[in-house]
Amino acid sequence: MELSHEQLGEDFLLFLLDKWKISSGESIGSPYSFKNLPFLYDYVRDTFSFKVVKKSAQTGISEIEVAYAIWRAIYKRGNLLYTFPAGEQLQQFVDARARNAVVANEYIYNFVSGSLNLKKFSINKNQIYFRGGQKRRQIISVDASVLLADEADEYEDGVLYTLN
């Protein structure tokens, strides 16, 4: 049975509130809450296939996107590509945030089905690829159904446009 877009948004929201643990900062390991970030509630429930957010730093969007990538890898089919403007910063982000979110959460860790390194997570037989986006060639050969482009305004000119 195919879920409606509304149901997918609700399912991700429930995953975030019931299963997700904050992956960094003062609240690391705590259950996710919208208490200090109420403006993210509608963003989480939005299932439109193309979203762009203009925001200030440290608003919680990257946390949401990592949680979404992992949720989608667990509950749906298809590979994901998570990009960041620079490879070195992405590796630090994956190590400190994404991998920590998986390893520190027994529920999520049970879905690991292979690699869990700085370039690729295998979760429920789906792949989440992590790539820097300095050059087009870093991202064009990845087999992915979903693209998550963090800090999109910082990419070199034209890199993200090649993925359309």
Side-chain angles (χ1 to χ4, degrees):
M1 180 174 100
E2 188 70 25
L3 295 175
S4 69
H5 282 291
E6 293 78 22
Q7 186 61 47
L8 286 174
E10 292 300 316
D11 285 353
F12 174 55
L13 176 65
L14 291 174
F15 170 80
L16 196 59
L17 293 172
D18 292 342
K19 305 294 185 196
W20 191 256
K21 305 287 186 231
I22 302 295
S23 66
S24 70
E26 297 169 357
S27 300
I28 192 167
S30 300
Y32 191 85
S33 169
F34 290 102
K35 182 179 178 185
N36 296 323
L37 306 166
F39 53 89
L40 290 177
Y41 182 79
D42 288 333
Y43 176 79
V44 167
R45 293 189 66 232
D46 184 354
T47 60
F48 193 68
S49 62
F50 186 82
K51 293 192 275 189
V52 176
V53 178
K54 186 174 183 177
K55 63 174 188 65
S56 61
Q58 304 303 315
T59 56
I61 295 290
S62 295
E63 180 88 26
I64 297 286
E65 293 305 309
V66 168
Y68 176 78
I70 292 169
W71 169 81
R72 194 167 190 302
I74 291 171
Y75 295 108
K76 295 186 60 81
R77 291 279 142 241
N79 298 329
L80 296 99
L81 173 59
Y82 194 108
T83 65
F84 206 79
E88 184 177 337
Q89 286 80 7
L90 176 65
Q91 288 181 344
Q92 293 168 357
F93 175 83
V94 171
D95 189 38
R97 305 275 301 274
R99 188 165 50 188
N100 185 46
V102 174
V103 172
N105 187 317
E106 185 179 346
Y107 175 81
I108 294 171
Y109 191 75
N110 285 328
F111 289 97
V112 172
S113 57
S115 44
L116 191 62
N117 58 51
L118 299 180
K119 295 186 183 241
K120 181 177 80 166
F121 290 3
S122 297
I123 297 180
N124 205 22
K125 299 180 183 169
N126 292 311
Q127 310 305 316
I128 304 173
Y129 295 99
F130 297 97
R131 297 287 188 273
Q134 295 98 327
K135 303 288 181 203
R136 179 179 176 269
R137 71 179 176 272
Q138 292 174 284
I139 53 182
I140 60 170
S141 63
V142 177
D143 171 27
S145 302
V146 174
L147 169 66
L148 300 165
D150 208 337
E151 307 291 343
D153 59 327
E154 297 295 328
Y155 287 76
E156 297 293 325
D157 288 340
V159 170
L160 289 179
Y161 297 110
T162 64
L163 299 172
N164 292 334

